[in-house]
């Protein structure tokens, strides 16, 4: 008996030793092993699930103690999720960033904790970056660039950006994909899908399979940098009439699926108030310009840049013209809206702005919200149902209303999950885009300004009129639609002028009365 045992133990020792030697010789990072990544994700998911499953057993629902405890469990779980994303990196960071952007949809403990992922993505080494350049472009670093900064300008979940100078003297930004992301992404999505299904089985109220579906659909597109370059050129041509919008030009001869070389631009992030103050940039002008271009993307063209977090939107004063410019970066994630969906979305926002509650219900139901249409209206606008009924363009946003919405996000999480699983998949990235833009407006102090609603109305009127003209059978009917559109836009311009005059007159009288206040 001792003989076979000795042989087995000797064989096992030999296998382990040779495996260890092989892994060492390959300098393999254990974090790259699918088993390690899955085990870590499963362990943290189990810990979070167990916490929610046991924490509330001896606490009465609805009491102050219950809500206080729930907030603590949310915070613990969010921190565990953050640790998982940072450890597994890549796709996990991307999904975590998506969750962190869902303000007004998730409890604030999650969004505030996961937002740091936009600035905590790990860097690839210089050797790894050079290897990607060598494999994809077939040349050494010195053959491609006169100079290349080892320290990246920025690092994201899927790639990092380096500043470099070409042999003709032009300065470029080189976006290079982390070398391990391609191989890991498909496996990571399978892991996330399996664990999300397990959590949904344990907690039926957890309905975030939509997030997994979006990751499965969008991750291959985001990992193809040639697709990103084409998106950049398309949106630059589409919005070329907006002189304030700038999109970096692509150097196609130095671009591949894993490398994107583009014009290098400098500016401050759109949420950097100190930068804007030091460079005499008007925050209201920035907010209005963002509203114009995104309203046109969504309502008129149906081709929407879906990742406008502050790191992807830079602002500056043009050195020559001294005009304010907005640079839109990172064009990997776009949503193509189907025409019928886009027009119903136009009609819904028109109804919300004009306080037509019958149409709010009608078009919310058409977009899949069903009986949850009041919640849908609140999620879409980030306003309370009271404010929606009173008119979102007439009632200003208050801190108490914001607090109410955030607390309701935690209280109605099951209903929100159900709603997100009901609405068309196109709606999900729009909600993310809305939240990111809303976050910028909140930082700039311009949220829910009248100008943003006017820009939305203008784009909705034009989009709906164009659709009606396309279906009109006679020239007279098309002329009638054009005249109606022109009258509606003219009325809107008069209203905008009235608001500006009213604001300037009020400011004038306030300034005149200040000396008498002493």
């Amino acid at each position: 008996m001792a003989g076979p045992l000795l042989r087995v133990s000797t064989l096992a020792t030999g296998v382990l030793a040779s495996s260890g030697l092989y892994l060492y010789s390959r300098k393999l990072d254990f974090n790259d092993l699918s088993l390690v990544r899955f085990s870590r994700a499963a362990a943290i998911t189990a810990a979070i699930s167990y916490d929610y499953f046991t924490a509330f057993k001896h606490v009465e629902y609805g009491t102050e103690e219950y809500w206080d405890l729930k907030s603590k469990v949310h915070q613990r779980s969010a921190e565990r999720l953050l640790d998982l994303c940072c450890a597994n990196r890549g796709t996990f960071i991307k999904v975590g960033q998506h969750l962190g952007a869902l303000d007004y949809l998730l409890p604030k403990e999650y969004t505030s904790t996961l937002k740091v992922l936009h600035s905590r993505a790990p860097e690839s080494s210089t050797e790894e970056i050079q290897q990607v350049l060598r494999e994809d472009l077939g040349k050494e670093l010195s053959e491609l660039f006169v100079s290349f900064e080892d320290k990246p300008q920025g690092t994201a979940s899927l790639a990092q950006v380096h500043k470099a100078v070409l042999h003709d003297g032009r300065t470029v930004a080189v976006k290079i994909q982390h070398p391990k992301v391609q191989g890991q992404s498909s496996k990571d999505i399978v892991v996330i899908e399996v664990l999300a299904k397990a959590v949904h089985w344990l907690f039926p109220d957890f309905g975030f399979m939509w997030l997994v579906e979006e990751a499965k659909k969008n991750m291959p597109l985001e990992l193809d940098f040639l697709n990103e370059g084409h998106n950049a050129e398309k949106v630059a041509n589409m919005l070329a009439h907006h002189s304030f919008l700038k999109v970096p030009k692509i150097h196609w001869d130095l671009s591949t699926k894993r490398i994107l070389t583009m014009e290098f631009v400098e500016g401050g992030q759109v949420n950097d108030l100190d930068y804007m103050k030091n460079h005499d940039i008007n925050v209201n002008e920035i907010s209005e310009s963002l509203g114009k271009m995104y309203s046109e993307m969504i309502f008129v063209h149906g081709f929407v840049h879906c990742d406008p977090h502050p790191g992807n939107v830079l602002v500056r004063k043009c050195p020559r013209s001294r005009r304010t410019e907005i640079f839109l970066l990172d064009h990997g994630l776009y949503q193509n809206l189907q025409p019928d969906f886009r027009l119903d979305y136009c009609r819904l926002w028109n109804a919300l702005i004009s306080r037509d509650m019958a149409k709010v219900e009608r078009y919310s139901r058409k977009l899949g919200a069903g009986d949850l249409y009041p919640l849908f209206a609140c999620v879409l606008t980030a306003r309370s149902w009271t404010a929606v009924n009173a008119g979102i363009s007439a009632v200003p946003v208050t801190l108490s209303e914001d607090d109410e919405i955030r607390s309701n996000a935690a209280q109605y999480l099951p209903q929100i999950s159900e709603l997100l699983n009901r609405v068309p998949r196109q709606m999900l990235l729009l909600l993310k885009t809305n939240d990111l833009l809303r976050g910028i407006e909140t930082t700039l102090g311009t949220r829910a300004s009248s100008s943003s609603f006017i820009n939305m109305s203008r784009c909705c009127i034009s989009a709906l009129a164009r659709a009606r003209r396309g279906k009109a059978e006679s020239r007279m009917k098309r002329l009638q639609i054009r005249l109606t559109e022109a009258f509606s836009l003219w009325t809107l311009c008069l209203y905008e002028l009235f608001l500006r005059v009213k604001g300037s007159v009020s400011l004038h009288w306030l300034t005149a009365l200040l000396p008498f206040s002493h």
Side-chain angles (χ1 to χ4, degrees):
M1 186 69 181
L5 283 174
L6 181 62
R7 284 195 295 273
V8 169
S9 62
T10 303
L11 180 61
T13 303
V15 169
L16 287 171
S18 59
S19 299
L21 185 63
Y22 172 76
L23 292 175
Y24 178 77
S25 66
R26 291 284 303 274
K27 295 184 179 178
L28 188 66
D29 185 350
F30 279 92
N31 190 59
D32 296 339
L33 297 176
S34 298
L35 180 62
V36 172
R37 299 166 69 79
F38 173 77
S39 299
R40 182 188 292 123
I44 291 178
T45 303
I48 292 173
S49 301
Y50 181 78
D51 202 358
Y52 276 105
F53 198 71
T54 60
F56 308 103
K57 281 188 174 179
H58 305 294
V59 183
E60 185 181 349
Y61 175 82
T63 62
E64 188 175 337
E65 182 185 3
Y66 174 88
W67 294 116
D68 183 55
L69 178 60
K70 192 162 191 177
S71 177
K72 290 177 180 175
V73 175
H74 283 332
Q75 188 61 46
R76 287 198 298 266
S77 302
E79 287 169 3
R80 287 171 176 147
L81 198 55
L82 175 64
D83 291 340
L84 171 61
C85 293
C86 291
N88 276 8
R89 298 174 296 191
T91 306
F92 282 82
I93 287 183
K94 195 71 184 176
V95 172
Q97 287 174 341
H98 195 147
L99 289 170
L102 296 177
D103 286 320
Y104 308 102
L105 295 182
L106 290 180
K108 65 179 179 180
E109 292 86 358
Y110 279 92
T111 54
S112 60
T113 301
L114 294 174
K115 276 186 191 301
V116 302
L117 288 172
H118 284 295
S119 57
R120 276 182 60 174
E123 292 181 12
S124 293
S125 66
T126 304
E127 292 75 20
E128 289 174 319
I129 291 303
Q130 288 181 353
Q131 183 64 26
V132 173
L133 288 167
R134 196 178 298 118
E135 288 173 358
D136 282 33
L137 296 176
K139 294 182 179 179
E140 295 298 327
L141 197 65
S142 57
E143 297 177 84
L144 296 167
F145 309 104
V146 173
S147 66
F148 185 91
E149 293 186 3
D150 289 338
K151 181 69 178 171
Q153 295 281 310
T155 304
S157 56
L158 306 181
Q160 58 195 52
V161 178
H162 292 260
K163 185 178 180 181
V165 178
L166 299 175
H167 286 282
D168 62 8
R170 287 177 293 176
T171 304
V172 293
V174 189
K175 182 175 179 178
I176 304 170
Q177 197 172 110
H178 298 308
K180 299 168 185 174
V181 169
Q182 282 276 3
Q184 291 172 346
S185 64
S186 57
K187 299 170 190 173
D188 285 345
I189 289 173
V190 171
V191 169
I192 294 169
E193 184 175 20
V194 168
L195 295 176
K197 285 180 177 177
V199 173
H200 182 57
W201 180 73
L202 286 170
F203 304 95
D205 286 343
F206 177 89
F208 279 81
M209 289 309 299
W210 58 269
L211 184 60
V212 179
E213 291 169 15
E214 285 301 295
K216 285 171 69 175
K217 183 182 76 174
N218 294 318
M219 191 59 66
L221 295 174
E222 291 191 75
L223 288 171
D224 182 356
F225 288 176
L226 294 177
N227 175 66
E228 178 178 342
H230 292 307
N231 286 342
E233 289 193 341
K234 180 175 178 177
V235 81
N237 292 329
M238 189 176 82
L239 300 179
H241 54 284
H242 290 305
S243 59
F244 61 81
L245 175 62
K246 304 295 177 184
V247 176
K249 292 189 173 97
I250 308 299
H251 293 264
W252 289 109
D253 57 322
L254 294 173
S255 297
T256 68
K257 281 195 169 188
R258 294 194 298 170
I259 300 169
L260 188 65
T261 305
M262 65 203 107
E263 171 191 4
F264 182 82
V265 296
E266 291 184 285
Q269 288 193 4
V270 72
N271 63 344
D272 189 341
L273 293 174
D274 290 334
Y275 176 90
M276 284 189 263
K277 184 177 179 182
N278 293 336
H279 290 80
D280 193 29
I281 294 174
N282 188 321
V283 294
N284 291 306
E285 183 183 348
I286 293 296
S287 184
E288 186 171 348
S289 295
L290 274 175
K292 279 180 182 177
M293 70 189 210
Y294 267 92
S295 291
E296 190 170 329
M297 280 189 219
I298 294 169
F299 300 114
V300 178
H301 301 289
F303 184 68
V304 190
H305 179 280
C306 289
D307 203 10
H309 73 75
N312 289 339
V313 185
L314 302 183
V315 296
R316 73 164 189 180
K317 282 273 189 180
C318 177
R320 284 172 293 185
S321 67
R322 302 306 299 161
R323 290 180 180 174
T324 301
E325 296 177 334
I326 296 176
F327 281 92
L328 195 60
L329 312 177
D330 197 345
H331 299 270
L333 188 58
Y334 270 76
Q335 180 69 278
N336 280 290
L337 305 181
Q338 295 300 318
D340 289 343
F341 171 90
R342 176 174 57 84
L343 294 173
D344 283 337
Y345 193 61
C346 280
R347 295 177 183 111
L348 175 57
W349 269 105
N350 256 348
L352 286 165
I353 293 169
S354 60
R355 202 175 54 173
D356 187 335
M357 301 312 295
K359 286 185 178 178
V360 167
E361 178 180 354
R362 177 184 172 188
Y363 291 112
S364 294
R365 288 182 181 277
K366 281 197 76 173
L367 290 168
D371 293 336
L372 293 174
Y373 73 88
L375 179 62
F376 183 51
C378 295
V379 165
L380 200 58
T381 59
R383 303 296 303 271
S384 67
W385 183 238
T386 303
V388 171
N389 276 275
I392 55 173
S393 58
V395 180
V397 182
T398 62
L399 286 175
S400 60
E401 184 186 359
D402 262 350
D403 290 340
E404 177 191 343
I405 291 167
R406 288 186 182 279
S407 64
N408 284 345
Q411 189 174 348
Y412 293 106
L413 188 57
Q415 290 88 341
I416 291 173
S417 296
E418 183 186 347
L419 175 67
L420 294 177
N421 279 303
R422 280 188 188 185
V423 296
R425 302 298 91 186
Q426 301 170 82
M427 182 62 70
L428 301 177
L429 283 179
L430 280 186
L431 291 173
K432 175 194 174 185
T433 306
N434 282 350
D435 274 345
L436 287 168
L437 291 172
R438 211 171 276 132
I440 292 172
E441 288 179 343
T442 300
T443 302
L444 298 180
T446 59
R447 184 159 160 236
S449 64
S450 58
S451 64
S452 66
F453 292 121
I454 287 170
N455 286 323
M456 289 174 74
S457 295
R458 188 174 281 121
C459 286
C460 287
I461 289 167
S462 297
L464 292 170
R466 188 170 68 177
R468 284 195 293 268
R469 283 198 302 273
K471 293 181 179 179
E473 296 179 355
S474 67
R475 185 176 296 178
M476 183 59 69
K477 184 64 177 177
R478 286 193 290 273
L479 177 61
Q480 182 184 346
I481 293 168
R482 282 192 182 279
L483 290 174
T484 303
E485 177 190 6
F487 179 76
S488 299
L489 292 173
W490 179 72
T491 305
L492 207 56
C493 286
L494 283 181
Y495 178 62
E496 187 176 24
L497 180 63
F498 164 74
L499 290 177
R500 287 181 177 175
V501 170
K502 181 183 175 184
S504 62
V505 169
S506 300
L507 184 63
H508 172 77
W509 278 103
L510 183 62
T511 306
L513 288 171
L514 276 177
F516 297 100
S517 64
H518 299 291

